[in-house]
């Protein structure tokens, strides 16, 4: 259990990409980490694009980045909603300023863009937000997972094994993040 004692915060909102939410969360929990699902309030039941539900553990206003070792942002359409919450952007910036691992996949780069933290980073994403990342100052490359300092980025569901492993490794201290 390489992540025993580690705490990860995972953002969510309606229409998250089901696999991109659950695969990393389960992988982190298998590794011994505590993963808290954060939404606009605790106890909210949210649904993925394909209908798979998840229940939030905490609200965005009720957590401190200081209490967590890393941040996870899944893709789907949820990031377009998440980036509109000032608390989400504040927390994302705090994780970044502390140099803690931040993992994002698919469309989740939108949250990091809106938080203003991608300039000068090399990242990947779904090709659909390549222009957004580049316009925000990131260098975009088409690889299954990209690690640049504390940001771990992935493209899409087929890349989840390599992406999740990179995040676990970073949290365990064996990655580049």
């Amino acid at each position: 259990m390489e992540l025993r004692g580690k705490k990860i915060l995972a953002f969510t909102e309606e229409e998250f990409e089901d696999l991109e939410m659950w695969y990393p969360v389960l992988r982190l929990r298998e590794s011994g980490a505590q993963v808290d699902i954060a939404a606009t309030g605790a106890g909210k039941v949210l649904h993925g694009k394909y209908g798979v539900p998840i229940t939030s553990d905490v609200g965005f206003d009720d957590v401190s980045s200081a209490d967590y070792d890393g941040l996870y942002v899944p893709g789907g359409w949820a990031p377009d909603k998440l980036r509109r919450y000032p608390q989400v952007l504040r927390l994302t910036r705090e994780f970044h300023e502390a140099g803690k691992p931040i993992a994002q996949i698919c469309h989740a780069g939108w949250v990091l863009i809106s938080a203003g933290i991608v300039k000068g980073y090399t990242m990947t994403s779904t090709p659909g937000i390549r222009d957004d990342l580049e316009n925000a100052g990131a260098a975009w490359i088409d690889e299954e997972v990209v690690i640049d300092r504390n940001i771990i980025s992935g493209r899409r569901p087929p890349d989840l094994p390599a992406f999740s492993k990179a995040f676990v490794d970073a949290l365990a201290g064996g990655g580049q993040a």
Side-chain angles (χ1 to χ4, degrees):
M1 302 306 269
E2 56 198 303
L3 298 183
R4 187 170 307 284
K6 300 280 185 174
K7 286 180 66 179
I8 314 308
L9 187 65
F11 291 151
T12 197
E13 184 43 278
E14 289 290 344
E15 297 187 275
F16 56 85
E17 205 299 328
D18 305 65
L19 284 172
E20 292 170 358
M21 181 83 244
W22 281 107
Y23 188 111
V25 166
L26 293 173
R27 177 67 180 92
L28 290 163
R29 288 177 177 164
E30 282 177 342
S31 296
Q34 174 184 326
V35 181
D36 289 342
I37 308 300
T40 55
K44 289 192 72 166
V45 178
L46 301 135
H47 297 87
K49 288 173 25 180
Y50 305 104
V52 179
I54 196 164
T55 303
S56 62
D57 301 302
V58 294
F60 302 133
D61 290 329
D62 304 322
V63 294
S64 169
S65 61
D67 295 332
Y68 292 90
D69 300 293
L71 174 65
Y72 176 55
V73 187
W77 302 123
D80 189 37
K81 296 172 179 73
L82 288 167
R83 66 182 174 165
R84 300 171 197 208
Y85 298 120
Q87 320 89 300
V88 165
L89 302 181
R90 176 187 51 80
L91 286 164
T92 302
R93 282 190 294 272
E94 288 174 3
F95 274 96
H96 187 65
E97 290 163 5
K100 295 178 181 181
I102 298 172
Q104 64 86 28
I105 190 166
C106 196
H107 288 83
W110 279 337
V111 173
L112 282 67
I113 290 167
S114 292
I117 65 169
V118 303
K119 186 174 185 176
Y121 278 77
T122 299
M123 300 173 68
T124 195
S125 67
T126 179
I129 69 164
R130 174 184 180 168
D131 291 348
D132 301 313
L133 283 165
E134 290 178 338
N135 289 334
W140 187 90
I141 57 176
D142 188 13
E143 294 183 10
E144 65 183 355
V145 63
V146 175
I147 303 166
D148 187 349
R149 291 163 277 178
N150 65 313
I151 296 177
I152 300 108
S153 54
R155 291 181 302 199
R156 54 190 172 268
D159 303 324
L160 282 165
F163 170 77
S164 298
K165 182 182 183 319
F167 190 32
V168 168
D169 288 349
L171 290 163
Q176 296 174 355

